[in-house]
Each structure stands twice: as structure tokens, then as C-alpha cells.
């Protein structure tokens, strides 16, 4: 039997702190995504075009990032490296962990995007006198970005939600702040309900902003 | 017709009896006490070499079940699960080093204190921390939502050093962070110092923290006064019978702390 009376007033009093923590969540997710896109693009190119150690490096990264839990990856950057005397701050651990994971997933999205571009287009660009760099940066990558735009948006939503793992390694984002208040007052249900609403609003803002950006980028 | 009305009234009366039944009756009827304990708090709650729950709190669960003449079901909990298991009725009682703060007392019911702890630091032997003043400028860690965390943040705010504080999900991670050098001092309770310093070669006992003693209580439903009265009486009997001192001596060592504040009638 559920025997609990809801008290909303203390939660509403803490709302400014929770919103501030929500901004930290958005900030860390945005930074992780920026790094994830840059690294993911590099990994995809290394996997497709390189041979030897570089290809091996990219494949290993992608395989680990996609096939092990994000929590384990975060613990590895936190306590795993700590065992070898490499101590990163909680901010760097969560940023490294999320970027590592996002880069792995995005690399495969980019690879799919590259494979969707007919090779003929590169050949045509080369025939027009473009070198390989120009063919990629002016012909291929703009089209790839258009193909992978929505998967990237999806990954950004994932990054926002998975940043909640930060509280496990001492990084105080929205989930950590929520648990701090909930433990102080034992008003667990109210605090987590409000946090869920804040997460929902953040995701809706991210999706809305990405749609506006898409309308601007894909006008033609 | 009269018989039907009598039968309906009887059923209604039976229903009202079941609605007003309290945890004490529920446990007696069920024949099992569902007792929540935190096993991340040696020597108060931990897992022994056979991976079985053990410690001061676990023995208190067993004693409470024995007093009720029922079986016991030990429910291992994390720190943050201590309220939800009570509010959702999954546990009858929680023994979990739960500080009896007034903020929490608006949500759950507390018995009179059954154990008292003092906050103390576990320091990395390279940290050179021997007093509270040595902590200035050092990295401090504690478990999320614990009393040491809440009290330390007040000092950190006064010193302007909140950015040097790190919180972790469990005390195990706090000690690991200190042992690995991520934090210079981990805040815990005096009872945890001995087992932890025995486990890690580079950890040693740090200074005692300046805030008041941590009075911890048994947790039950706030509305269930009958059950809380029983728990109060149980604590009193544990002290009166000498069992409190016996278990404290077994798990912590030395004299058990006085559960009453002089001059205060709890």
C-alpha cells in the first residue's frame, strides 16, 4: 500500500537550484556532443579510408563505445584510470565518458552517411579538377551532414539524459542535485518528479532548436 | 432482510478492521519482519566472508524479529532507498544509520535514537591532514545525502571551498576516491574508520569533525504511531538488557555511547 502525502512547497523552493543544475546538464551534454561529432567524423574517416594502426584504433574505439555500458566507460575514466594514478576531475570524467560514447555511436552514423553518397560523385568532383580534400569538404561532407543530422539530434537527446550518470562519479548535474535535496528531506518522489519535468523541458528545447536549425540549414 | 443487513455490516466491520490494522499487526499476521539495512556501512552493516548480511544493524533486525516472534527478511538497501521502501510498504522498518533530522521527520517516522555516531575523516596518508584547519584548500569527499555531506557543505560555503567538494553514491566509492588520490579526505563516521584503514594501506584515521553527534533512529511509517511506540520500547529494552552494549562491543569495540542527551527527555 502506498502511504505517502505529497509536499510540493519545499521542492518549489529549491526550483532555482534544480534549474541551475539543469543548465549544467545542458552544458555538459552540448560540450560532449561537440567533441563527439568532431571525433566521430574522424573515426568514421579513419575506419573507411585508413589501414593499419589507425583503422585498428578507430575500430577498437567504436566497438568498445557501442558494446559496453556507458556506466562502465564512465567508471573506467573515473576509478579505472585512478588505479594507475591518473586522476581526472569529475567534470573531465563525465565529459570524457560521454564524448567517448557519443563519438563511437556517431562514427557509425557518419559511416552510414558516407556510404549513402554514390562514389560517382567523388569521381565527378575529381574529374572537375578538385583534389581529394576539396571533394570531401565541398561535395561529400555537406551531404553526409544532411543525412546524419537527425541521428545527431537523437544522440544529443541521449547525451542530455545520460549525463545523469555524472552523479555516480561526483559530478553534480540535475540528477545529482535532485538526489542531494531528496536525501536531505526524504521527499524523493516530489524532487524526482520535478527533475523529470526539467529533463523533459530540456529535451523539448533541444529538439525545437534542432528543428529550427534544420529549417535554416536545409532550405534548399 | 435483517440477516443480509447484518452480514453486510459484518463484512464492513471486517474491512474497517483490516484498513486500520497497523504494521505491528501486519507483521504478526504475516509472520515475517521485512527489515531494510544498508550494507555499505561496515561494521554497522556489511557482507561477511560468505557474502551474508552482517553487522550491528543486521543483528538489531534479528533481535526485533525475535521480540515479535516472527521470521526476519533482511532487505539490503542503498542510502537513497531508505525512504521509498517505507513509503511504498516494501519494508516494515529500516535500520540504516538514518540521522533523525527534523526535515526528514516531516516525511518518515523516527524511533528514539538507537545508535550514535561521530563524523570523522579518512585521509590519504600523503595528505598531511591532522586537524580540521589542515583541510583548507584540500579536496573533500563524502557520500551523497549523508549528514557529513550536509554539515561539511556549510563549512565549505563559509570557507568558499564548495568547488573542492566531491560527492559519491556510496561510502565505498568515497574511500576508493581517497585511496586513489582523487580526494584528500573522505568524511565518514567514527565506526567505519577501523575496517577501512585495515582494508587500504594508504588510508589512515583523520580528524574528528566539529559538528554535533549524529543521532540515528529506526525508520517506520510516519503515520504508524503504534509501530513507532513499539520500536521505542524495543530500543529501551535493548539498552536495559545489555544487548546494546554487547553488540556495540562486538562490532565497534569499547563503551557504547549514551543514547540520551543529558537534561533532555526524548
Amino acid at each position: 500500500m502506498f502511504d505517502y502525502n505529497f509536499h510540493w512547497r519545499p521542492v518549489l523552493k529549491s526550483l532555482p537550484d534544480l534549474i541551475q543544475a539543469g543548465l549544467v546538464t545542458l552544458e555538459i551534454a552540448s560540450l560532449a556532443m561537440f567533441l563527439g561529432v568532431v571525433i566521430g567524423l574522424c573515426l568514421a574517416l579513419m575506419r573507411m579510408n585508413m589501414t593499419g594502426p589507425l583503422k585498428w584504433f578507430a575500430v577498437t574505439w567504436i566497438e568498445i563505445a557501442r558494446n559496453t555500458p556507458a556506466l562502465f566507460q564512465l567508471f573506467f575514466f573515473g576509478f579505472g584510470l585512478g588505479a594507475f594514478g591518473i586522476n581526472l576531475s569529475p567534470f573531465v570524467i563525465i565529459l570524457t565518458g560521454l564524448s567517448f560514447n557519443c563519438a563511437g555511436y556517431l562514427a557509425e552514423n557518419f559511416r552510414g552517411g558516407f556510404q549513402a553518397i554514390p562514389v560517382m560523385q567523388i569521381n565527378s568532383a575529381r574529374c572537375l579538377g578538385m583534389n581529394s580534400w576539396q571533394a570531401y569538404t565541398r561535395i561529400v561532407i555537406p551531404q553526409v551532414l544532411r543525412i546524419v543530422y537527425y541521428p545527431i539530434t537523437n544522440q544529443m537527446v541521449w547525451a542530455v539524459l545520460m549525463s545523469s550518470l555524472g552523479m555516480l562519479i561526483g559530478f553534480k548535474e540535475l540528477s545529482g542535485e535532485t538526489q542531494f535535496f531528496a536525501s536531505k528531506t526524504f521527499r524523493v518522489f516530489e524532487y524526482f518528479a520535478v527533475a523529470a519535468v526539467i529533463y523533459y523541458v530540456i529535451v523539448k528545447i533541444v529538439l525545437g532548436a534542432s528543428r529550427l536549425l534544420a529549417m535554416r540549414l536545409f532550405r534548399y | 432482510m435483517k440477516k443480509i443487513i447484518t452480514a453486510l455490516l459484518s463484512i464492513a466491520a471486517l474491512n474497517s478492521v483490516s484498513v486500520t490494522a497497523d504494521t505491528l499487526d501486519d507483521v504478526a499476521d504475516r509472520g515475517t519482519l521485512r527489515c531494510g539495512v544498508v550494507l555499505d556501512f561496515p561494521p554497522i552493516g556489511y557482507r561477511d566472508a560468505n557474502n551474508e548480511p552482517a553487522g550491528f544493524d543486521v543483528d538489531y533486525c534479528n533481535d526485533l524479529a525475535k521480540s515479535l516472534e516472527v521470521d526476519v527478511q533482511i532487505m539490503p538497501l542503498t542510502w537513497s532507498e531508505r525512504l521509498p521502501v517505507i513509503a511504498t510498504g516494501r519494508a516494515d522498518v529500516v535500520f540504516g544509520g538514518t540521522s533523525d533530522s527534523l526535515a526528514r521527520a516531516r516525511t518518515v517516522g523516527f524511533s528514539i535514537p538507537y545508535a550514535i555516531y561521530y563524523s570523522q575523516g579518512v585521509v590519504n596518508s600523503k595528505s598531511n591532514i591532522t586537524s580540521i584547519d589542515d583541510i583548507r584548500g584540500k579536496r573533500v569527499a563524502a557520500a551523497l545525502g549523508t549528514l557529513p555531506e550536509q554539515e561539511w557543505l556549510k563549512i565549505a560555503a563559509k570557507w568558499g571551498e564548495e568547488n573542492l567538494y566531491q560527492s559519491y553514491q556510496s561510502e565505498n566509492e568515497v574511500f576508493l576516491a581517497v585511496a586513489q588520490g582523487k580526494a584528500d579526505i573522505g568524511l565518514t563516521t567514527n565506526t567505519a574508520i577501523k575496517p577501512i584503514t585495515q582494508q587500504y594501506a594508504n588510508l589512515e584515521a583523520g580528524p574528528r569533525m566539529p559538528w554535533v553527534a549524529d543521532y540515528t533512529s529506526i525508520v517506520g511509517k510516519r503515520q504508524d504511531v503504534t509501530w513507532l511506540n513499539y520500536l521505542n520500547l524495543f530500543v529501551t529494552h535493548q539498552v536495559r538488557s545489555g544487548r546494546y552494549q554487547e553488540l556495540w562491543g562486538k562490532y565497534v569495540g569499547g563503551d557504547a555511547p549514551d543514547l540520551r542527551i543529558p537534561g533532555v527527555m526524548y
Side-chain angles (χ1 to χ4, degrees), chain A residues 1-5 7 10 75 77-83 85-88 90 93 167-172 175-176 179-180 183-189, chain B residues 79-80 82-84 87-89 98 101 103-104 106-108 110 139 144-146 149-150 153 165-169 173 176-177 180-182 219 221-223:
Chain A
M1 189 176 68
F2 190 80
D3 197 356
Y4 187 83
N5 298 313
H7 291 180
F75 267 46
F77 289 116
F79 296 111
L81 291 181
I86 304 167
N87 284 315
L88 308 172
I93 294 170
M167 75 172 176
L168 299 173
I169 44 96
F171 183 70
K172 224 169 189 185
S175 291
Q179 197 168 30
F180 173 73
S183 303
K184 206 170 166 182
T185 60
F186 273 14
R187 288 279 147 197
V188 176
F189 301 101
Chain B
W79 296 104
S80 56
R82 290 174 296 173
L83 164 73
T88 55
T98 312
S101 78
R104 289 172 169 181
R106 293 199 289 265
T107 306
V108 290
F110 286 111
R139 295 160 304 165
L144 188 62
T146 55
E149 174 184 74
Q150 288 162 22
L153 284 174
Y165 174 73
Q166 303 160 32
S167 63
Y168 291 95
Q169 279 293 298
E173 286 156 24
L176 189 57
Q180 288 188 348
K182 288 184 198 311
V219 182
K221 270 183 187 165
R222 189 190 66 173
Q223 298 87 340

Side-chain angles (χ1 to χ4, degrees), chain A residues 189-202:
Chain A
F189 301 101
E190 291 92 328
Y191 275 105
F192 276 93
V194 169
V197 171
I198 296 174
Y199 272 118
Y200 184 84
V201 170
I202 291 173

